[in-house]
Amino acid sequence: MQIKVYEHECKYYETDQMGVVHHSNYIRFMEEARIDFLDQIGFPMDVIEAGGVVSPVVGINCQYKNMSYFKDILCIKVFIKEYSGVRFSIGYEMADKKTGQLRAVGESSHCFLTKDGKIVMLKKVMPELDLTFREFAKAEK
């Protein structure tokens, strides 16, 4: 399955007084792209949660390479870096649509929990999603 790159047009309110997109917004862009990725693979977050599973962020990082500005369109590539059945990491590459210039790279780490906070093996509760994650993680290696 080919995943379409997520596009985000930088909004005015996301910029600082210098007209540069504020660094904190890249974390939001990563979440938007992650939710879009889940939609594309057929497992929207609301479906996962309806199945009794939540997936909190347990770690996040972002390295800023170049500045983004109001009205820039960022193309955000999302890929599964690691997957264990209980934990996973997603990688992000954010590049300017016009120039291809890399603006930021990031990674978010997550786990799977029941709604009452107990760790869950995805294979046991959502075997189709487990298989899909395994396929995408293997494709990245």
Side-chain angles (χ1 to χ4, degrees):
M1 171 188 282
Q2 183 68 24
I3 298 298
K4 286 183 2 187
V5 171
Y6 179 76
E7 293 186 3
H8 176 87
E9 182 176 354
C10 298
K11 311 295 187 282
Y12 182 77
Y13 69 85
E14 295 168 338
T15 64
D16 59 21
Q17 286 184 324
M18 297 181 298
V20 175
V21 171
H22 190 269
H23 67 274
S24 65
N25 289 300
Y26 289 87
I27 305 304
R28 289 183 181 95
F29 303 163
M30 289 163 49
E31 181 170 343
E32 290 173 13
R34 182 173 64 252
I35 296 303
D36 179 69
F37 171 81
L38 291 170
D39 289 347
Q40 287 189 59
I41 66 171
F43 292 93
M45 187 54 81
D46 56 341
V47 170
I48 294 171
E49 289 178 353
V53 176
V54 295
S55 181
V57 174
V58 295
I60 197 151
N61 71 59
C62 188
Q63 297 174 349
Y64 307 101
K65 304 296 185 181
N66 291 288
M67 293 180 272
S68 298
Y69 301 90
F70 173 54
K71 292 222 177 219
D72 282 356
I73 297 175
L74 297 178
C75 294
I76 305 172
K77 179 184 174 194
V78 176
F79 51 95
I80 296 179
K81 291 181 73 170
E82 295 178 30
Y83 176 66
S84 72
V86 174
R87 295 178 63 99
F88 66 101
S89 295
I90 293 187
Y92 308 86
E93 294 175 357
M94 295 167 258
D96 182 78
K97 184 175 183 173
K98 285 183 188 171
T99 67
Q101 181 184 52
L102 189 62
R103 299 296 174 83
V105 294
E107 181 177 347
S108 60
S109 301
H110 309 260
C111 65
F112 294 107
L113 302 174
T114 61
K115 288 188 176 182
D116 60 354
K118 292 183 172 69
I119 294 175
V120 64
M121 289 287 296
L122 196 59
K123 186 176 187 176
K124 292 182 179 182
V125 295
M126 299 188 101
E128 304 87 10
L129 180 56
D130 173 73
L131 181 59
T132 302
F133 267 48
R134 288 185 190 284
E135 289 173 1
F136 276 98
K138 188 164 76 171
E140 285 302 317
K141 291 185 177 181

